[in-house]
Amino acid sequence: MSNYHIKHFEEYFQVYRKSINDPIAFWEEIAEEHFSWRKTWDNVLSWDFSKPEVKWFDGAQLNITENCIDRHLRNRGDKTAIIFEPNDPSEPAEHITYKQLHERVCKFANVLHDKGIKKGDRVCIYLPMIPELAISVLACARIGAIHSVVFAGFSSTALSTRIQDCDAKMVITADGGFRGAKTIDLKGIVDDALRDCPTVKSVLVAKRINSNIHMEPGRDEWLKPLLDDSYKDYTAEVMDAEDPLFILYTSGSTGKPKGMMHTTAGYMVYTAYTFKNVFQYREDDVYWCTADIGWITGHSYIIYGPLANGATTVMYEGVPSHPNYGRFWEIVQKHKVNQFYTAPTAIRALAKQGTEHLEKYDLSSLKVLGSVGEPINEEAWHWYNDNVGRKKCPIVDTWWQTETGGIMITPIPFSTPTKPTYATLPFIGIQPTLMNDEGEEITDNQVNGKLCIKFPWPSMARTIWGDHKRYKDTYFSAFENMYFTGDGAIRDEVGYYRITGRVDDVIIVSGHNLGTAPIEDAINEHPAVVESAVVGFPHDIKGNALYGFITLKETGETRDHENLRNEINMVITEHIGAIAKLDKVQFTEGLPKTRSGKIMRRILRKIASKDTDNLGDISTLLNPEVVASIKDNAV
Ligand code: PRX
């Protein structure tokens, strides 16, 4: 039996038990047998959740790109590493072999080096889903620079905040990006963002849309001539196991985004191991994850996990609906995709189109279907199972987070019996538990609790960049000696977990995490606004959508409300990005508050969800009279 590749349900239990009974021996064996190290570790694991401090494979030395690229060159040099599928179906796909990937990453690494980027420097990457995105990520890792990829749908203000937070020295971007029928002026957004970013000394620009852009002399340079002139080999920097690999920002329920910092060895081991098992990847398979590399799913399961296994990974530049809703299925047919990993929001949008598009394509290559990012509702699960997988492909509903680095609760396909809406069982090495509000572990079934993890796993984030206290307060303070996920969950009688959603003020819209506080801060910037509260409400495609309750300085009919709504959404788009726009806006006379002045979101959530039969006790509110009028005027 190989602990690295689990093929049966019994094997899962055996390996799981091993991983829990003796985690050190277990992870040591996985790390030793399946990765290449410049030097092995002195200590497999040391941890203390009260600090919190976690170290995996301490003392080891490695470079993750040697594991993702170099070690495959001998046997898989001519195998395709990345298939780039462009936005426009008439543009040919690009197949990048491991050899070519090696050369392109090395050339890019030389460019970074020549621009003065050194080990430990932060490089911000703001690119569309083109090969340069994966290559620049790997080039940073090759020279030991810490990449911070910012999703290219974020606004200039959001980009600027993220660049400033980690003091990035360089930004890598493109003249623009294609997204469906639209183009996005990425370089213009970068120029705006950089007005407040004195640490950025250079900007490298990939050419994608051939637009006429401003190039700042002394700062901006086109990437292509630099790459053309650069040498095709680059000796990988030797990194310590716990050296930072990347920072990736995620929304918090309060304040500015949290720069989750991931380190090298543990992240590599865990993402590779989960990839192999959760997707049951076999040597000649073609794997496709539809996420953007700007999110953790793209980091772990488009780049690092697949490449560490010598896999062929598809990168798609566009959207599911362009030029029509058959695009995903056309790509599956064209590249004979075996494993397909997407988000429930995409499944719901595709399901809404019926099966007409699906029927035009041959999907017989598919073996495993994945879901990630938010709870998958029963209807979407069945549509995916019946129509895309034709009841032959297990659905892996994978629960995890930016913070966890890799998949935590998931079925193992062909082993774990699946159950709609259940992420099922913990992955190898993961020790989840449910806690009640009294801080006790819940042992009963079907009781809603707060999902926590009791023991460290290799790919957990080590800190929030520049704010270790916030890391501790957010994740390690709610319950003693546990990592608190911020999610609620229940467990059924066989131990399967069902994630019920966030228990904090983070709302997941179309699979994207959005904190309410930053959106409210943006709304409050509008000169007509006194204060605001944003809550989620159920939406058939997005899962949740945003509802804003907003109090204006001037009330009554004197304001053009339609206009104001648009203006407020424009302010949000400017501060955060279009993903955070409000679907519904209600202007209110006031917001329900506790006597200490806290907005009672619970009541607003109920009103937004049209669940107003029982609003609970409102008599203790400071201003109970506003509730009736908010309820009567709900949109
Ligand atoms: O609430 C959970 C939800 O997404 C959150 C993490 O979001 P993010 O850091 O952006 O990472 C998304 C991709 C890993 C979680 O706290 N979530 C993620 N996967 C699932 C899920 N909720 C239910 N079921 C899932 N499979």
Side-chain angles (χ1 to χ4, degrees), residues 248-251 260 295-298 301 341 344 371-376 396-407 409 421-423 451 483 485-488 498-504 506 508 511-514:
L248 185 61
Y249 288 88
T250 187
S251 307
M260 302 315 307
W295 309 114
I296 191 70
T297 309
Y301 299 110
Y341 191 28
S371 171
V372 60
E374 55 181 316
I376 178 165
V396 286
D397 177 0
T398 62
W399 172 84
W400 58 296
Q401 312 177 293
T402 306
E403 294 85 337
T404 69
I407 294 168
I409 302 184
T421 76
Y422 281 76
L451 180 61
Y483 167 81
T485 65
D487 281 325
R498 175 180 200 217
I499 314 302
T500 48
R502 300 291 309 180
V503 293
D504 55 10
V506 170
I508 308 212
H512 302 317
N513 269 7
L514 296 170

Side-chain angles (χ1 to χ4, degrees), residues 78-312:
D78 295 319
K79 175 177 176 177
T80 301
I82 296 176
I83 299 177
F84 168 62
E85 175 64 34
N87 179 62
D88 175 357
S90 66
E91 192 184 325
E94 198 180 330
H95 291 249
I96 302 168
T97 65
Y98 274 93
K99 248 192 228 151
Q100 290 164 336
L101 183 63
H102 181 261
E103 184 171 321
R104 289 175 72 171
V105 168
C106 285
K107 285 188 160 203
F108 211 125
N110 276 306
V111 171
L112 296 179
H113 181 263
D114 292 348
K115 290 277 146 212
I117 301 296
K118 295 185 300 292
K119 179 175 178 171
D121 286 345
R122 274 78 62 205
V123 172
C124 173
I125 302 176
Y126 187 70
L127 279 170
M129 280 286 283
I130 55 176
E132 285 78 359
L133 174 48
I135 291 165
S136 59
V137 160
L138 292 162
C140 286
R142 189 135 185 116
I143 73 167
I146 304 169
H147 54 78
S148 164
V149 182
V150 177
F151 172 60
F154 276 116
S155 70
S156 59
T157 313
L159 174 62
S160 177
T161 311
R162 286 159 175 76
I163 293 172
Q164 287 171 32
D165 184 73
C166 69
D167 296 321
K169 249 178 141 171
M170 172 188 269
V171 177
I172 302 170
T173 189
D175 55 349
F178 294 117
R179 239 182 122 67
K182 286 190 278 190
T183 54
I184 301 165
D185 174 21
L186 297 177
K187 181 59 169 53
I189 296 172
V190 169
D191 288 342
D192 280 350
L194 291 188
R195 286 203 204 113
D196 305 316
C197 301
T199 55
V200 174
K201 300 295 176 225
S202 57
V203 177
L204 302 180
V205 188
K207 191 169 263 187
R208 178 60 184 142
I209 65 168
N210 282 316
S211 61
N212 213 344
I213 55 165
H214 166 74
M215 294 290 277
E216 182 71 25
R219 187 194 71 184
D220 304 350
E221 268 179 280
W222 289 105
L223 194 52
K224 183 154 187 309
L226 296 174
L227 288 171
D228 287 348
D229 277 353
S230 143
Y231 185 58
K232 65 178 182 2
D233 209 349
Y234 188 97
T235 308
E237 186 74 32
V238 178
M239 304 299 287
D240 290 338
E242 285 294 337
D243 275 341
L245 175 63
F246 66 86
I247 300 167
L248 185 61
Y249 288 88
T250 187
S251 307
S253 42
T254 55
K256 60 178 189 173
K258 297 173 288 192
M260 302 315 307
M261 189 191 91
H262 284 278
T263 58
T264 307
Y267 176 82
M268 170 184 78
V269 168
Y270 193 77
T271 54
Y273 184 47
T274 43
F275 173 77
K276 176 74 186 168
N277 288 294
V278 174
F279 299 102
Q280 289 292 305
Y281 185 85
R282 305 273 176 148
E283 185 59 40
D284 296 318
D285 288 346
V286 174
Y287 160 88
W288 179 23
C289 165
T290 69
D292 193 288
I293 290 172
W295 309 114
I296 191 70
T297 309
H299 281 58
S300 302
Y301 299 110
I302 295 179
I303 301 182
Y304 289 113
L307 297 179
N309 284 282
T312 299

